[in-house]
C-alpha cells in the first residue's frame, strides 16, 4: 500500500517573479526531506507552469507506506522547520491524501 499526500499552496508574491522566488525557497526547504525523513518513499515539489494567477502556485507530492509514515513526516523536526518556510509565503493551502 502507498499513501499519496498532495499539498498545493497559493503564494503571497505580488508578481510571477516574486512567486517564482518563493516557490524556489519552498522547494529548497522541502526537497531534502526525501533523504532526511525515513518514512518518505518519494517526494517532489513542482512549480505551476500555466495560467499564472488562476492556478495555485506550488505543489508537493509525497508518498508514504501508510498514515503512520505521514504522521512521522508531519512531526519530524526538519519538516516542521520546512513548514515554517512555507508558512512565510503561503496565503492558502489545500491537501488531499489517498491510497494508491
Amino acid at each position: 500500500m502507498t499513501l499519496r499526500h498532495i499539498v498545493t499552496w497559493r503564494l503571497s508574491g505580488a508578481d510571477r517573479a516574486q512567486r517564482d522566488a518563493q516557490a524556489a525557497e519552498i522547494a529548497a526547504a522541502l526537497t531534502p526531506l526525501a533523504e532526511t525523513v525515513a518514512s518518505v518513499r518519494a517526494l517532489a515539489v513542482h512549480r505551476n507552469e500555466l495560467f499564472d494567477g488562476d492556478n495555485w502556485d506550488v505543489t508537493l507530492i509525497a508518498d508514504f507506506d501508510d498514515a503512520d509514515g505521514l504522521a512521522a513526516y508531519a512531526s519530524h523536526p526538519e519538516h516542521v522547520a520546512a513548514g515554517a518556510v512555507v508558512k512565510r509565503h503561503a496565503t492558502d493551502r489545500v491537501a488531499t491524501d489517498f491510497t494508491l
Side-chain angles (χ1 to χ4, degrees):
M1 171 175 91
T2 298
L3 179 70
R4 179 152 290 165
H5 174 64
I6 301 176
V7 184
T8 301
W9 299 275
R10 284 193 195 272
L11 302 179
S12 63
D15 59 30
R16 177 74 190 209
Q18 287 180 350
R19 290 189 300 277
D20 283 348
Q22 291 172 329
E25 187 177 344
I26 288 168
L30 291 171
T31 301
L33 300 178
E35 303 300 324
T36 60
V37 179
S39 64
V40 174
R41 299 296 167 245
L43 185 147
V45 179
H46 300 278
R47 173 68 170 106
N48 177 59
E49 297 176 15
L50 301 176
F51 310 110
D52 186 53
D54 290 327
N55 288 347
W56 289 45
D57 297 300
V58 64
T59 298
L60 164 80
I61 302 171
D63 291 342
F64 303 89
D65 289 337
D66 52 30
D68 290 338
L70 175 57
Y73 164 79
S75 64
H76 192 283
E78 291 185 38
H79 175 262
V80 172
V85 173
V86 174
K87 288 178 183 178
R88 263 198 323 267
H89 300 304
T91 61
D92 292 300
R93 175 189 182 274
V94 64
T96 189
D97 302 292
F98 54 89
T99 302
L100 298 177

